[in-house]
Amino acid sequence: MTHSIGSKSSIRGVSRRQFIATSIAGGAALALGGSKAFAQAGQALKVGFVSPRTGPLAGFGQTDGYVLDLARKALAGGLEIGGKKYSVEILDQDTQSDPSRAGQLAKDLINNQAIDLMLAVSTPEVINPVADACEAAGVPCLSTVMPWEAWYFGRGAKPGAPSPFKWTYHFGFGVGEFFKTYISQWNLIETNKKVGVMYPNDADGNAIRANLAPLLAKQGFTIVDPGAYETGTTDYSSQIALFKQEGVEIFNSFPIPPDFAAFWRQAAQQGLIKQIKIAQVAKTGLFPSDIEALGDLGMKISSAAYWHKAFPYKSPLTGVSGTELADGYEAASGKQWTQQLGASMSLLDAGFEALKASTDAKDKSAVAKALSTLKTETMIGKVDFTSGPVANVSPGPIIGTQWVAAKEGSKFPLDYVVTENATDPKVPVEAKLQPYNG
């Protein structure tokens, strides 16, 4: 199902001539134009936006409608690039958390909608098939919210070899940022430094196992790894027994949300969580819904944020600050803000900055070149493709956080507090890390 965000409030005051409905894949994507001149041939820019709005990864896409609405309002008057003014259509698509569908949607946007730029967000299950389709078709693509190693090496790049990618670019955290954050976070509480890890047999899990675990071991942490598990596993008794036997006091995992929920409930039933002092999760535990679903078992789980409303940066596209973005979402939706708000906004920020920096926004090679030299500040902070660890990649922060009970009188039951800031000292630390038990 295609999701289109265009409430009456977002198009109020826009004439009928300024409103263009583009139907794709059985749904409608909103396009806002600004003047009659936009109707001229070659004066419209089409940008694809692919994310998971439904399915097991739906938490990553929950806020995208609100962010897209803000972006469309900001672009309602068009975009001036190189002395030309363009109308902008953002064609957003829901992968339903299915990698095969993600690739099919990308091909439709490329072949049938003739997009000028692709934006893809959240997890390898979404980003990698979209990026692969763009690379094959010669369409510039920008993505964020997955470890860059899982994007770069997971798609066939080789260590030490030149980048095989000409059209696809990715920004955001990598193993190096997780390493800095985890070392900073885990040293806040005294433990025996035994870490039970649950890394799945997927792009994220394999990249983390190969790259992060050895770095942690060099810092004196003992990694207890029962081996890769398959997504959708329902019985974790053998892993839990090993963790209990080894006396692990730190737990770390990169599962999809349903798998972690199943594991953590079994860990509670079988007595494992009584010995856990730090429960550090990634790819799940990122959003309030993940934690609320666990009830009391979710309290004091440690997470990491690729964006937080405390980030001191503004969106160049919309002009909103982190606090304004979070508060605006809560007012509009009645739901608690999530870290995905700023991440999705940053993708739009960087994508449109690249279009503006290109010599010709309708020339795909010019847009790809603009991406390769892009150096800007977005809602998550800097994006800089001129100094990455490898070509086509700009690393970004991941900040240590924890879920705690909200103060009395709060609108929502949980608070998401910053506990360390090793990867971006400009983000203020808000609270002391509390042990999960003890």
Side-chain angles (χ1 to χ4, degrees), residues 12-137:
R12 189 175 293 130
V14 179
S15 72
R16 291 176 65 86
R17 293 178 183 174
Q18 292 171 315
F19 182 77
I20 308 165
T22 303
S23 178
I24 61 176
L30 184 63
L32 291 176
S35 73
K36 292 181 182 178
F38 290 161
Q40 296 172 2
Q43 297 300 299
L45 288 174
K46 290 186 176 183
V47 176
F49 185 97
V50 182
S51 67
R53 304 278 281 273
T54 55
L57 300 172
F60 287 94
Q62 175 184 302
T63 63
D64 282 346
Y66 179 76
V67 171
L68 288 166
D69 197 31
L70 291 183
R72 288 176 172 129
K73 288 174 182 176
L75 294 162
L79 194 64
E80 192 160 320
I81 304 170
K84 294 181 181 179
K85 201 163 191 183
Y86 298 87
S87 64
V88 178
E89 301 176 32
I90 303 176
L91 310 178
D92 60 297
Q93 295 286 279
D94 171 21
T95 69
Q96 299 175 6
S97 303
D98 181 343
S100 296
R101 178 176 166 83
Q104 293 165 359
L105 291 172
K107 290 173 184 175
D108 178 74
L109 288 166
I110 292 165
N111 298 323
N112 299 325
Q113 305 304 321
I115 59 167
D116 300 291
L117 172 66
M118 182 78 80
L119 303 177
V121 64
S122 301
T123 77
E125 290 83 355
V126 174
I127 294 170
N128 283 0
V130 172
D132 286 345
C134 289
E135 193 68 40

Side-chain angles (χ1 to χ4, degrees), residues 85-284:
K85 201 163 191 183
Y86 298 87
S87 64
V88 178
E89 301 176 32
I90 303 176
L91 310 178
D92 60 297
Q93 295 286 279
D94 171 21
T95 69
Q96 299 175 6
S97 303
D98 181 343
S100 296
R101 178 176 166 83
Q104 293 165 359
L105 291 172
K107 290 173 184 175
D108 178 74
L109 288 166
I110 292 165
N111 298 323
N112 299 325
Q113 305 304 321
I115 59 167
D116 300 291
L117 172 66
M118 182 78 80
L119 303 177
V121 64
S122 301
T123 77
E125 290 83 355
V126 174
I127 294 170
N128 283 0
V130 172
D132 286 345
C134 289
E135 193 68 40
V139 172
C141 175
L142 183 63
S143 55
T144 192
V145 187
M146 66 175 281
W148 69 257
E149 291 89 349
W151 178 88
Y152 189 74
F153 300 118
R155 295 175 53 230
K158 303 298 182 185
S163 171
F165 308 126
K166 177 183 177 182
W167 301 97
T168 50
Y169 294 83
H170 182 82
F171 70 90
F173 55 86
V175 165
E177 286 71 39
F178 274 113
F179 171 67
K180 290 176 186 175
T181 296
Y182 286 177
I183 292 298
S184 174
Q185 180 103 313
W186 296 353
N187 283 330
L188 294 172
I189 291 176
E190 187 173 340
T191 70
N192 62 8
K193 292 197 168 185
K194 288 189 174 183
V195 186
V197 301
M198 288 283 288
Y199 299 152
N201 183 25
D202 62 14
D204 275 339
N206 295 333
I208 293 299
R209 173 176 284 104
N211 297 284
L212 177 61
L215 292 175
L216 294 170
K218 287 179 181 178
Q219 289 293 314
F221 291 90
T222 301
I223 306 301
V224 180
D225 185 355
Y229 69 92
E230 297 301 322
T231 295
T233 295
T234 56
D235 184 0
Y236 298 93
S237 298
S238 62
Q239 293 96 330
I240 291 167
L242 176 64
F243 295 155
K244 288 174 67 178
Q245 178 185 321
E246 294 294 327
V248 302
E249 293 183 348
I250 302 172
F251 174 75
N252 180 223
S253 188
F254 284 70
I256 63 171
D259 287 358
F260 174 69
F263 170 84
W264 205 236
R265 290 190 181 102
Q266 290 174 35
Q269 291 164 359
Q270 296 173 36
L272 171 63
I273 66 171
K274 292 178 182 177
Q275 70 192 50
I276 299 298
K277 293 184 179 180
I278 300 174
Q280 185 84 51
V281 296
K283 198 172 179 175
T284 189

